[in-house]
């Protein structure tokens, strides 16, 4: 299958690991097939004999229309058939000969499963109400499908409204945000809006909460109504995503909530809209007026990081890095720019005019001096370093420096290769120098040489780091084999520590290094 991206419709949904899609480009052909098949209603084309595997025309009992189908099983006069242009399998007692001009088309339904949905699959298997919401939602939208393999069953990712389908599923499960509520929440903000905010708390890169300059005013008004209003209408409809006023069983206070799960005895698990947490609640009333219309007084956000491949392990590492970074800035004013409205709203986040996504994004590095898995040196392999190394490889000769000074950058010739070097110690007839682009490795040379000024001035960065691994479960020898002066890794800093070494995570060709060096 050559095409890797489709505009598509979900023709039938059993679960996240078992559903069917139709290519949007096939819709006209599907409609023509369906229209042609309805002419069979008045034709005498009853099958005299049929076997499993035969292609036939079968009537779908729910709508009384004829569709192309494959016979799966036969019991007396009942046929179990699969409707090949939609994907669902049903019992049908009405089958007819499929005209050859219609039989020649390939099946229009493609069997798919979503990537990385174990948690979501489990939730819909035990929560029928959530399943029903998702079933109805997916059956009503056009999606963008990305194929991750080339054979059926196809492993895919899907997007709607420029967001991963998993985001909408998580919205329902974690926040009670149904597709209808999502559309309402999109109207609260405007794309491109800029706001000064304070960080409330950070759960992950896709879930952090901020307080805007208007938050206090909204909070005071909501809390005043909740504390003083007495004439509320009892809630009559208890369903997932329903907004209501309810009393927390934890502190007996009233809150605006969305229902996540209905329990026996009049209790529900709820999402507290204005506080970003879940709690069990009771005594439910209708949310009306300002309580229904006011936006949450804390804003649920997701960080905009378009340049990062959204692989699970990488995102887990980025989230840890983001949480640590935000802990350092939690008492500072920040700025958000809204990229996509809705909830969570996707934002660019700035601290002191620095884009936080740039601060936490993976950094290309070379690893040197691997003493232990938790004692190693990394050299940032910046564009500047790469340019310097390329230029040095073309230089034939440099002028020697008679009296090199400390803290200056010179050229050093080591094994017939030029490197940038900084003087460390002088001896009679030789000197120790630090190779600043090679993980601060120390070598002994007899002479240093004058470098062109544009090479001298290029900045470099070397860091002492730790992988934070237990040597009982990971192999130092494998790590040393992997690390050489040519191997480039992508590094994410989990936790900054200038004393004992920064805690980092390394990726090699998009693969987590810990999986490569793990003992078997």
């Amino acid at each position: 299958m050559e095409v890797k991206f489709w505009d598509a419709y979900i023709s039938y949904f059993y679960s996240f690991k078992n559903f069917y899609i139709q290519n949007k480009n096939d819709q006209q052909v599907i409609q023509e097939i369906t229209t042609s098949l309805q002419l069979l209603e008045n034709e005498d084309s009853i099958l005299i004999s049929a076997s499993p595997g035969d292609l036939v025309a079968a009537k779908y009992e729910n709508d009384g229309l004829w569709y192309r189908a494959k016979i799966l099983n036969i019991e007396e006069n009942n046929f179990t058939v699969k409707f090949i242009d939609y994907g669902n399998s049903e019992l049908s007692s009405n089958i007819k000969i499929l005209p050859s001009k219609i039989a020649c088309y390939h099946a229009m339904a493609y069997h798919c499963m979503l990537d990385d949905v174990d948690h979501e699959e489990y939730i819909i298997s035990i929560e029928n109400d959530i399943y029903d919401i998702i079933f109805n939602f997916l059956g009503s939208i056009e999606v963008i499908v990305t194929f991750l393999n080339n054979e059926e069953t196809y492993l895919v990712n899907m997007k709607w409204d420029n967001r991963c389908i998993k985001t909408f599923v998580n919205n329902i499960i974690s926040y009670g945000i149904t597709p209808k509520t999502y559309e309402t929440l999109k109207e609260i903000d405007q794309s491109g809006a800029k706001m000064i905010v304070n960080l409330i708390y950070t759960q992950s890169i896709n879930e952090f909460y901020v307080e805007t300059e208007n938050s206090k005013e909204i909070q005071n008004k909501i809390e005043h109504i909740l504390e003083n209003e007495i004439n509320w209408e009892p809630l009559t409809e208890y369903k997932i995503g329903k907004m209501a006023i309810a009393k927390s069983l934890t502190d007996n206070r009233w809150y605006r909530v969305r229902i996540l799960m209905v329990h026996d005895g009049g209790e529900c698990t709820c999402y507290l809209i204005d506080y970003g947490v879940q709690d069990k609640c009771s005594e439910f009333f209708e949310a009306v007026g300002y309580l229904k219309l006011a936006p949450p007084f804390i804003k649920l956000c997701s960080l905009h990081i378009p340049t990062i491949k959204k692989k699970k392990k990488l995102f887990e590492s980025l989230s840890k890095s983001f949480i640590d970074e935000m802990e350092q800035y939690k008492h500072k004013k920040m700025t958000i720019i809204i990229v996509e409205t809705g909830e969570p709203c996707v934002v660019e986040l700035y601290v002191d005019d620095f884009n936080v996504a740039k601060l936490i994004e993976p950094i290309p590095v070379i690893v040197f001096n691997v003493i232990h898995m938790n004692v190693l040196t990394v050299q940032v392999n910046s564009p500047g370093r790469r340019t310097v190394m390329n230029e040095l490889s073309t230089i034939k000769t440099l002028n020697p420096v008679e009296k090199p000074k400390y803290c200056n950058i010179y050229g050093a010739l080591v094994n017939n290769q030029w490197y940038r070097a900084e003087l460390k110690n002088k001896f009679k007839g030789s000197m120790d120098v630090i190779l600043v682009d090679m993980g601060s490795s120390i070598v002994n040379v007899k002479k240093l040489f004058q470098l062109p000024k544009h090479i001298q001035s290029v900045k470099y960065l070397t860091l002492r780091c730790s992988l934070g691994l237990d040597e009982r479960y990971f192999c130092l020898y494998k790590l040393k084999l992997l690390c050489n002066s040519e191997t480039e890794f992508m590094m994410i800093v989990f936790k900054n520590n200038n004393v004992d070494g920064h805690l980092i995570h390394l990726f090699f060709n998009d693969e987590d290094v810990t999986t490569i060096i793990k003992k078997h």
Side-chain angles (χ1 to χ4, degrees), residues 5 28 76 85 141 149 154 209 249 276 373 384 414 456 495:
F5 302 92
Q28 184 174 344
E76 298 180 354
D85 299 320
I141 60 172
N149 66 354
Y154 298 106
Y209 296 83
L249 295 178
M373 283 174 288
V414 181
Q456 280 183 14
K495 191 172 285 292

Side-chain angles (χ1 to χ4, degrees), residues 309-517:
K309 293 180 181 179
K310 298 193 175 181
K311 294 181 178 290
K312 185 178 180 181
K313 278 287 186 183
L314 182 60
F315 244 62
E316 288 174 355
S317 298
L318 282 173
S319 280
K320 290 179 181 178
S321 176
F322 178 65
I323 290 168
D324 180 65
E325 199 71 36
M326 290 298 94
E327 184 65 23
Q328 300 179 60
Y329 301 122
K330 64 181 179 182
H331 299 301
K332 302 192 73 166
K333 289 285 186 184
M334 303 180 184
T335 302
I336 61 171
I337 297 176
I338 295 177
V339 178
E340 294 177 25
T341 61
E343 191 165 333
C345 58
V346 180
V347 302
E348 291 180 349
L349 178 64
Y350 293 85
V351 180
D352 294 335
D353 294 328
F354 287 104
N355 187 330
V356 172
K358 296 291 184 184
L359 294 177
I360 67 166
E361 69 181 7
I363 304 166
V365 298
I366 309 292
V367 178
F368 295 93
N369 305 329
V370 181
I371 299 170
H372 186 276
M373 283 174 288
N374 300 323
V375 183
L376 47 89
T377 304
V378 301
Q379 179 88 44
V380 174
N381 195 26
S382 64
R385 178 188 181 273
R386 291 193 290 270
T387 300
V388 165
M389 298 300 290
N390 286 335
E391 287 200 36
L392 288 174
S393 68
T394 64
I395 291 176
K396 301 298 183 184
T397 59
L398 292 170
N399 295 322
V401 177
E402 293 299 325
K403 295 181 179 180
K405 298 178 181 179
Y406 291 101
C407 301
N408 285 358
I409 301 296
Y410 300 100
L413 189 63
V414 181
N415 297 326
N416 294 317
Q417 171 66 50
W418 291 106
Y419 296 97
R420 293 197 303 168
E422 183 179 329
L423 179 62
K424 180 176 174 63
N425 291 309
K426 289 183 180 179
F427 305 104
K428 188 175 181 179
S430 69
M431 62 195 88
D432 283 344
V433 297
I434 302 168
L435 302 183
V436 297
D437 297 309
M438 302 299 288
S440 296
S441 302
I442 298 173
V443 297
N444 187 265
V445 297
K446 295 186 182 302
K447 291 183 179 181
L448 288 174
F449 299 83
Q450 190 68 47
L451 285 172
K453 287 187 177 180
H454 73 279
I455 293 181
Q456 280 183 14
S457 60
V458 174
K459 293 182 179 180
Y460 60 90
L461 180 61
T462 303
L463 301 170
R464 290 178 58 248
C465 296
S466 166
L467 291 176
L469 299 176
D470 189 330
E471 61 186 330
R472 292 175 298 175
Y473 308 112
F474 298 91
C475 181
L476 179 61
Y477 176 70
K478 288 182 179 180
L479 180 62
K480 286 184 175 182
L481 283 179
L482 196 59
C483 299
N484 59 60
S485 60
E486 304 296 326
T487 304
E488 182 178 84
F489 301 89
M490 297 305 290
M491 177 185 76
I492 295 173
V493 179
F494 277 171
K495 191 172 285 292
N496 291 289
N497 187 332
N498 290 310
V499 178
D500 300 318
H502 304 287
L503 185 62
I504 64 169
H505 209 141
L506 294 175
F507 293 85
F508 176 62
N509 291 336
D510 289 334
E511 187 175 359
D512 185 348
V513 165
T514 60
T515 63
I516 301 173
I517 66 173

Side-chain angles (χ1 to χ4, degrees), residues 25 42 52-53 83-84 89 103 146-147 153 174 190 200 203 237 258 262 313 393 449 487 510:
N25 293 336
N42 299 318
F83 294 102
I84 63 172
S89 298
T146 303
F147 291 88
T153 299
S174 301
Q190 288 189 335
I200 303 300
Q203 185 70 26
E237 185 181 35
R258 291 191 206 102
V262 180
K313 278 287 186 183
S393 68
F449 299 83
T487 304
D510 289 334

Side-chain angles (χ1 to χ4, degrees), residues 222-273:
I222 288 172
E223 289 184 347
H224 177 78
I225 296 172
L226 290 173
E227 290 169 5
N228 294 281
E229 182 64 56
I230 55 173
N231 295 317
W232 287 335
E233 290 291 327
L235 191 69
T236 57
E237 185 181 35
Y238 288 74
K239 64 179 184 179
I240 291 173
K242 177 69 175 178
M243 184 180 178
I245 306 303
K247 181 180 283 188
S248 164
L249 295 178
T250 302
D251 61 11
N252 286 320
R253 291 180 60 197
W254 294 98
Y255 295 95
R256 298 195 302 168
V257 305
R258 291 191 206 102
I259 295 174
L260 300 179
M261 194 179 301
V262 180
H263 308 291
D264 294 334
E267 295 178 2
C268 297
T269 299
C270 298
Y271 175 73
L272 276 53
I273 293 171

